[in-house]
Amino acid sequence: EKKYHNKMQEQVDRIRNYFGEKATYGTGSFSYYIGFFKNIPYQDIAQMFAEAKQSRKPRKQQYKIFWWKIGQYIKNKNPKKDN
């Protein structure tokens, strides 16, 4: 059984396994996910993951839905300021 330092690491591992991510570095790696998720509350990520899984689409489409939701969250949280 794997040991995790916190709930976020456990969640990242669960999401990566669900989507079949195997990368050890770069896009899809554990650190890639941690980097994206570090400023998003645990519960929000869990909600977005659950919504993507409930979409009843093929897993590849669920993957795209999940990352679209993450992108929208980040975009809405950090809107660009108009000069």
Side-chain angles (χ1 to χ4, degrees):
E1 184 176 315
K2 293 182 180 181
K3 301 272 185 189
Y4 302 99
H5 292 286
N6 57 43
K7 291 190 313 184
M8 184 64 77
Q9 289 183 356
E10 183 177 358
Q11 186 174 47
V12 165
D13 194 49
R14 188 177 323 115
I15 293 170
R16 286 186 73 234
N17 287 332
Y18 182 79
F19 290 129
E21 296 278 14
K22 302 285 185 227
T24 54
Y25 60 89
T27 303
S29 68
F30 190 83
S31 58
Y32 179 83
Y33 274 79
I34 290 289
F36 263 96
F37 295 175
K38 68 182 175 186
N39 293 321
I40 304 174
Y42 173 88
Q43 191 57 41
D44 290 342
I45 295 168
Q47 178 69 33
M48 289 182 266
F49 182 51
E51 289 171 4
K53 284 174 38 177
Q54 289 174 354
S55 68
R56 294 186 171 174
K57 305 242 185 238
R59 206 161 280 202
K60 188 166 184 140
Q61 288 299 109
Q62 291 176 9
Y63 175 82
K64 290 179 180 180
I65 291 168
F66 174 72
W67 278 106
W68 179 83
K69 287 179 177 291
I70 293 291
Q72 291 299 304
Y73 180 91
I74 291 169
K75 185 171 138 183
N76 292 333
K77 187 171 191 238
N78 301 316
K80 293 190 190 260
K81 294 179 181 173
D82 295 329
N83 291 335

